[in-house]
Amino acid sequence: MATERTFSILKPDATKRNITGAVNAVIEKAALRIVGQRRIQMSRAQAETFYEIHKERPFFGELVTFMTSGPVVVQVLEGENAVARYREVMGATNPAQAAEGTIRKTFSESVGENTVHGSDSAENAKIEIAQFFEDGDIVG
Ligand code: IDP
């Protein structure tokens, strides 16, 4: 397994509840290194572009409204098999179905407000990282 990078977002429910440090502790305990991190307010245009793949889904409007409802923390995580490992650490999209010990099982309140985003492939990770980070902002 090679070292790779994935893209993460700590969503507005995490910043609102002041649990970004607690979530980061879970990430670091899973041997993922936070090699890039910025707290930003996402614009509607940024959120719409980021979630473009879901634009025909019934929850798209709700998702964009939620993602722009407060600050988010965008991150680049690095580690062995980082994409799959982070998906495992995040847990299922719906926290009610997430495994014990996962971020979503521990912290999330609903399928919409589910605390974290993580890329679903190495290819998408590269695209998503490039939407929010310059090369110089990532220090491994
Ligand atoms: P993922 O974040 O686990 O990869 P996706 O299916 O890619 O899940 O969905 C993207 C995001 O859209 C979810 O993390 C969640 O915030 C939101 N979402 C997904 N399904 C629903 C739903 O049924 N209602 C409201 N929001 C949803």
Side-chain angles (χ1 to χ4, degrees), residues 11 51 54 57 59 62-63 87 93 104 111-112 114 117:
K11 297 183 178 183
Y51 280 119
H54 293 307
R57 308 281 286 275
F59 57 82
E62 185 189 328
L63 178 58
R87 298 285 297 185
T93 307
R104 285 167 167 168
V111 64
N114 59 3
H117 165 85

